[in-house]
Amino acid sequence: MTYSFRTKMFAASLAAAAAALALATMIVAWELRSQERAVIEQRLRNQTTLIAELLSKSALTAGRLDEEADRLGELLDARVTLIQADGRVVGDSTADDEALEALENHRDRPEVQQARTGGIAVVQRYSTTVDADLLYVARRADHPEVAYVRVALPLTAVAEQVRRVGRDALLAFALAAPVAIGLAWLASALLSRRVKTIAAVARRYREGNLDRPAYDYGSDELGTVARVLDDSVQDLGRRLDEKTRDEARMEAILSGMVEGVLVLDRQGRVRLVNRAAQGMLHVDASAIGHLYLEVIRHPDISVQLTAALRGEEVGARELALGRNAARLFIARAAPVGGPGGAVLVLHDITDLRHADQVRRDFVANVSHELRTPLTAIRGAVEALLDERADPEQTRRFTEIVARHSARMERLVSDLLRLARLDANQEPLDIAPCDLRQLFEAVAADVSATAGAKRQRVTMQVAPDARTIQADPAKLHDVVRNLVENAVNYSPDGSEVALEARRIDGAVEIVVCDSGPGIPPADLRRVFERFYRVDRSRARPGGTGLGLAIVRHLVELHGGHATADNRSGGGATFTVTLPAQPG
Ligand SMILES: Nc1ncnc2c1ncn2[C@@H]1O[C@H](COP(=O)(O)OP(=O)(O)OP(=O)(O)O)[C@@H](O)[C@H]1O
Ligand SMILES: [Mg+2]
């Protein structure tokens, strides 16, 4: 059973008051008893000396001694005993003649024995004659019949006095008790209220509310302790705040990083795994607190972490992660000094490697594309150098040289254009463009080729899509490239349809043909540089750069280009441009 602080305080103060009163009573009683006894003793000493003095001057006969003892006893209000040298009692104020005869010899009484050696003997003992504690004082007397005078008094008066003091003390306690109870109650209430307030503040702190209370703790020891604790809590709160802020900052930095970061503690448990690392290692935040061997499935990484936990410096290692090892990473694990543990940093180099591959492919493609016409030109030139060639052959070889050098020129100029676009060297020159006029200009550009193949170019421009804000020259290049492709890859006598329409604040330019279409797997790739669906089928003279330039130009306008197949056969190229380029 637990008692409240207040009850304990109350009980303690009440107990203290009662104990103090009891102790005071005991001390007073004891003091009183010893004082009273000292007074009685002194009185008996004086009386004994007086009687001895009287006897030495009187000539009382043996027969009158008892009478004298009675008289003195009555006068002094004490028991007076006169004893002969052999111990026989010759006078006693409490015994008549017969009783005197019957009184036993007093020779062995301690006070008589002590008095024999001279001086005054004082003895306190129980007397069976009067059935009480008595104080005896005896001394020698200078009388022929009396050798010792003894005066005695019962100590009942002292006992009575002490009893009275005890009774008074009890009465005082009974009177003082309500006051003491009241005072104790008040004191404990005041103290307990302060303690309760401090406890309430502490409870609030524990619940996380660290606002300093508008409460004055007081200036005594309790107040000082409370204030010191309060200051400590506030200080702790401030540090906790700083730590939380630091952690949040750290968290923000780590989660914003593209590199994956994994931190292990000394025991090899995961302490931190940022968002990027979660994606790379296919774990989630629940991995925190688990051993790395349980959560990391990649043996190479586990080996690195194990070495780092042993404090070894591990070199960076390239590895493939993810389904079908689709992504490439550089992983570097390092030991953490101080608290121990290890940190792993994962750097995704897939795009880097891809870009590298693209660059290498590009160089290979350019070389290949240049070698074909160069080989043809060289063959023709060698043939031309042969003096046996007739004029007809000379003309044919010269034509080959002309065609292939034109193809090379086209290739080089397309490459230069792409390089300029890559380097952002072709700024947009935005102006209102009339799409109908633009379509007609493109149709005029391709009219020779289309006419040779007996193809028809139709055009349809929605009234709300007629004008668009764009770079007219670049848009012309876009549409011309698409229409050239449509004309080139469609069979003779087919139709090429051009359409412009407005959809949700954007303008769509669609070029449809009824050619062979594009295999679905190649739909996305046709916009890549040098990509041609089927090289054997590719148009001689095409470089495979046209659609790459289209995509670049469209994206420069903030739009995008897609390729699709029509359900009835043929390809559809759609260019979506924002009505107002950003
Ligand atoms: N309308 C179309 N129908 C079918 N295939 C097409 C069509 N347009 C493009 N392609 C395919 O996409 C490839 C890439 O086209 P792109 O215009 O980039 O190059 P190209 O036409 O071969 O050469 P050029 O640089 O002279 O345009 C073409 O080789 C062709 O295989
Ligand atoms: Mg083309």
Side-chain angles (χ1 to χ4, degrees):
M1 185 170 179
T2 52
Y3 296 98
S4 72
F5 175 75
R6 183 176 182 174
T7 312
K8 285 181 199 159
M9 275 296 299
F10 175 65
S13 9
L14 207 62
L21 199 68
L23 201 66
T25 308
M26 270 159 63
I27 290 170
V28 167
W30 186 78
E31 186 66 22
L32 213 71
R33 172 189 255 144
S34 50
Q35 265 181 26
E36 195 74 3
R37 193 183 173 284
V39 167
I40 291 173
E41 186 184 323
Q42 191 57 46
R43 195 177 125 199
L44 289 178
R45 277 171 182 270
N46 296 343
Q47 288 172 349
T48 311
T49 308
L50 193 75
I51 294 173
E53 198 67 19
L54 280 175
L55 280 179
S56 68
K57 291 198 176 90
S58 81
L60 280 176
T61 53
R64 295 203 42 214
L65 282 173
D66 186 42
E67 200 180 311
E68 182 67 7
D70 290 350
R71 196 175 66 85
L72 286 168
E74 203 168 324
L75 278 172
L76 300 176
D77 194 17
R79 181 184 174 189
V80 177
T81 313
L82 304 175
I83 303 157
Q84 281 197 330
D86 61 358
R88 201 157 59 84
V89 178
V90 287
D92 191 286
S93 59
T94 56
D96 53 20
D97 287 351
E98 283 159 41
L100 195 69
E101 288 296 318
L103 265 179
E104 64 180 286
N105 191 297
H106 274 37
R107 189 179 47 227
D108 295 331
R109 292 288 194 273
E111 64 275 10
V112 175
Q113 280 186 346
Q114 283 174 29
R116 192 172 297 145
T117 53
I120 292 182
V122 180
V123 172
Q124 179 183 338
R125 64 189 165 77
Y126 183 76
S127 159
T128 41
T129 319
V130 291
D131 184 23
D133 252 1
L134 276 135
L135 191 66
Y136 295 94
V137 174
R139 65 168 294 163
R140 275 176 163 281
D142 190 16
H143 188 274
E145 296 295 334
V146 182
Y148 305 102
V149 175
R150 190 183 75 174
V151 183
L153 260 181
L155 291 173
T156 42
V158 177
E160 177 60 26
Q161 195 97 15
V162 170
R163 251 197 306 280
R164 214 176 305 129
V165 169
R167 213 174 42 237
D168 288 354
L170 263 178
L171 188 70
F173 185 74
L175 287 176
V179 180
I181 289 172
L183 285 175
W185 189 253
L186 196 71
S188 59
L190 286 175
L191 207 61
S192 111
R193 205 171 64 194
R194 291 179 59 201
V195 171
K196 269 188 189 153
T197 314
I198 293 169
V201 172
R203 218 171 297 125
R204 216 185 59 190
Y205 284 163
R206 195 186 54 196
E207 283 158 12
N209 181 357
L210 294 189
D211 294 345
R212 207 189 266 274
Y215 171 69
D216 180 17
Y217 291 117
S219 53
D220 58 3
E221 287 88 339
L222 189 63
T224 310
V225 169
R227 219 179 343 269
V228 168
L229 287 178
D230 196 63
D231 288 348
S232 310
V233 169
Q234 295 293 335
D235 192 41
L236 225 65
R238 263 194 302 280
R239 286 189 208 180
L240 218 70
D241 266 5
E242 268 168 37
K243 193 165 173 283
T244 315
R245 263 200 303 277
D246 283 354
E247 275 176 4
R249 205 174 300 135
M250 186 80 168
E251 182 80 37
I253 292 171
L254 283 171
S255 62
M257 272 171 75
V258 285
E259 283 83 11
V261 178
L262 175 104
V263 179
L264 300 182
D265 64 12
R266 210 200 324 234
Q267 281 79 37
R269 290 184 191 284
V270 177
R271 293 301 304 267
L272 188 148
V273 49
N274 74 346
R275 209 176 307 149
Q278 289 176 20
M280 293 168 181
L281 297 170
H282 296 286
V283 297
D284 54 25
S286 65
I288 290 169
H290 286 87
L291 285 174
Y292 72 100
L293 289 169
E294 291 171 15
V295 289
I296 291 171
R297 301 269 168 247
H298 203 284
D300 274 3
I301 292 183
S302 296
V303 167
Q304 282 207 38
L305 285 172
T306 309
L309 278 175
R310 277 202 303 263
E312 294 167 18
E313 283 292 341
V314 199
R317 205 171 286 180
E318 195 173 316
L319 42 92
L321 290 176
R323 268 182 211 91
N324 309 324
R327 300 204 71 84
L328 282 173
F329 293 90
I330 288 188
R332 184 194 288 271
V336 176
V343 60
L344 171 80
V345 178
L346 290 166
H347 193 80
D348 190 337
I349 53 160
T350 318
D351 293 343
L352 213 70
R353 287 280 183 272
H354 179 68
D356 213 33
Q357 189 58 44
V358 167
R359 191 182 53 76
R360 269 191 298 239
D361 289 353
F362 184 74
V363 172
N365 276 325
V366 170
S367 318
H368 178 78
E369 292 295 333
L370 283 174
R371 202 174 56 194
T372 315
L374 272 176
T375 311
I377 290 170
R378 192 166 154 228
V381 169
E382 273 170 11
L384 279 172
L385 288 175
D386 190 345
E387 284 158 7
R388 288 167 299 176
D390 59 28
E392 173 55 23
Q393 280 175 321
T394 305
R395 194 184 56 80
R396 229 179 54 224
F397 289 132
T398 314
E399 251 176 41
I400 289 175
V401 170
R403 196 167 66 243
H404 283 286
S405 54
R407 176 180 156 86
M408 275 173 68
E409 195 191 338
R410 245 167 53 82
L411 179 70
V412 171
S413 80
D414 278 358
L415 283 172
L416 282 174
R417 175 141 214 213
L418 274 171
R420 273 204 309 280
L421 287 169
D422 277 342
N424 255 337
Q425 284 171 350
E426 282 208 29
L428 278 181
D429 188 6
I430 301 288
C433 283
D434 187 316
L435 285 183
R436 177 136 210 125
Q437 280 177 18
L438 191 138
F439 283 0
E440 277 164 1
V442 171
D445 286 351
V446 298
S447 61
T449 332
K453 291 180 86 175
R454 289 176 287 104
Q455 288 170 336
R456 222 155 53 83
V457 177
T458 65
M459 48 195 88
Q460 194 183 343
V461 178
D464 57 352
R466 199 168 163 146
T467 17
I468 180 176
Q469 291 290 332
D471 184 321
K474 291 189 178 66
L475 200 54
H476 182 97
D477 289 348
V478 167
V479 180
R480 202 197 58 231
N481 261 300
L482 295 176
V483 175
E484 268 176 7
N485 280 352
V487 168
N488 287 334
Y489 300 109
S490 304
D492 290 4
S494 63
E495 183 184 291
V496 174
L498 277 167
E499 194 188 338
R501 57 188 179 220
R502 185 175 282 265
I503 286 178
D504 295 338
V507 170
E508 276 186 359
I509 296 169
V510 188
V511 180
C512 297
D513 63 52
S514 354
I518 297 159
D522 295 316
L523 280 173
R524 287 173 65 82
R525 302 206 60 190
V526 287
F527 292 97
E528 289 175 15
R529 293 169 193 195
F530 295 114
Y531 194 85
R532 277 169 287 187
V533 171
D534 181 355
R535 279 175 194 267
S536 60
R537 226 176 53 187
R539 177 178 65 92
T543 59
L545 293 175
L547 287 179
I549 293 172
V550 165
R551 185 172 67 176
H552 236 304
L553 292 173
V554 170
E555 284 176 358
L556 202 62
H557 281 83
H560 58 269
T562 53
D564 218 336
N565 283 314
R566 298 167 73 194
S567 50
T572 300
F573 282 83
T574 309
V575 168
T576 311
L577 293 169
Q580 291 291 329

